[in-house]
Amino acid sequence: MRHSTIAIPLLTTTLATPISTVSDTPLPVLLWHGLGDSYASDGINGIVALIQGTNPGTFVYPIRLEEDPSADSRASFFGNATDQIAKVCADIAKHPILSSAPALDALGFSQGGIFLRGYAQRCAKPPLRSLVTFGTPHNGISEFQNCADTDWFCKGWTGALKTNTWSANVQSHVIPAQYYRDIDPATGNPSDGYIESSNLLADLNNERSIKNKTYAKNLAELEKFVMYEFADDVTVIPKASEWFAEYNETNMQVTPLKKRPLYKEDWIGLKALDEKDGLVFKTVPGGHMQLEDKMLREAFKTYFGPARKNKSLAALVSKGENLEL
Ligand SMILES: *[C@@H]1O[C@H](CO)[C@@H](O)[C@H](O)[C@H]1NC(C)=O
Ligand SMILES: *[C@@H]1O[C@H](CO)[C@@H](O)[C@H](O)[C@H]1NC(C)=O
Ligand SMILES: *[C@@H]1O[C@H](CO)[C@@H](O)[C@H](O)[C@H]1NC(C)=O
Ligand SMILES: *[C@@H]1O[C@H](CO)[C@@H](O)[C@H](O)[C@H]1NC(C)=O
């Protein structure tokens, strides 16, 4: 059985309960892990427990590309991000609990946050209510981190990237290369290589001349998009990327999101979202992905949980009287 390891409290409660109380049921949560992690790691299991401890009865789906945890971890380094997002969209669309929920909440760790934004912009079936990202390089990484001497995994992929980042081969196989974003020092704009060949980020951030309007429309339909940045992050370079800011390596200045065309011309719906109070910027202490239970619980309490927290979502839920969960 595919999902046999996951408790399914939502299914049992909703089947037996009249629809009037369905709005007390927490929305399901999608959880997308970061680079090198897997959907079944101790860390991810701990997060699942913490979500369920904060909002009892929450169905949490740790996203996986492979059922075998080590293959799933490998898929966080290697693969074509377009295909990976499409596969997850399809998995969610045929999942009995997720697909019949009125909306989902989502929690993305580091690169997992970019992928979840991919779900929100490209698929959104069902739509997301809250998208919460921790340490996610939404504006890409512009430098590959220095690897520890013994970290052969890190060395392997940074080595592969330094030479041929924009080749079709690297762009279709190495995940971090697909959200690498460099600036051409001569023009101060993203490099031609990035604009032409970035397999994921240039598309997702609508940086090409032809914009996909669906992306902006879908993202603006979120209720909250919450971006947590780590104050002392040195893994995501530059860390300002975690708030969609742009870092100019020539003069070392950070241009905040709201001063960028991405926002001002609303390429992906962030401005629309901001205008309805849906954009939330948070800073938490510590280095990359130094997650504290207390801050996580606070986030889960505020942004996840029962649908009735939002009246219009609650209305959606009660309209779904004939939903067969
Ligand atoms: C825009 O994105 C949607 C969702 O992924 C896709 O179905 C559509 O084909 C895209 N449109 C263009 C013009 O690329
Ligand atoms: C990644 O996969 C998509 C969809 O299958 C394909 O259109 C695209 O060309 C691939 N990317 C690269 C860089 O090969
Ligand atoms: C980055 O800084 C350089 C040097 O000050 C400047 O010429 C360039 O226009 C800046 N780029 C952007 C995008 O602001
Ligand atoms: C509730 O959700 C709807 C639909 O996503 C959104 O338009 C609205 O702004 C939200 N309300 C609050 C109070 O956040």
Side-chain angles (χ1 to χ4, degrees), residues 183-190 246 248-253 255:
I183 300 288
D184 180 346
T187 64
N189 294 321
E246 175 145 279
N248 186 332
E249 276 165 83
T250 317
N251 61 13
M252 307 212 308
Q253 284 197 343
T255 308

Side-chain angles (χ1 to χ4, degrees), residues 80 82-83 168 171-172 199:
N80 176 331
T82 311
D83 293 338
Q171 285 298 315
S172 59
N199 189 49

Side-chain angles (χ1 to χ4, degrees), residues 121-122 212 214-215:
Q121 293 178 207
R122 292 181 180 166
N212 188 322
T214 306
Y215 287 179

Side-chain angles (χ1 to χ4, degrees), residues 178-195:
Q178 297 166 57
Y179 55 89
Y180 180 76
R181 182 179 186 277
D182 61 351
I183 300 288
D184 180 346
T187 64
N189 294 321
S191 74
D192 292 347
Y194 171 77
I195 294 294

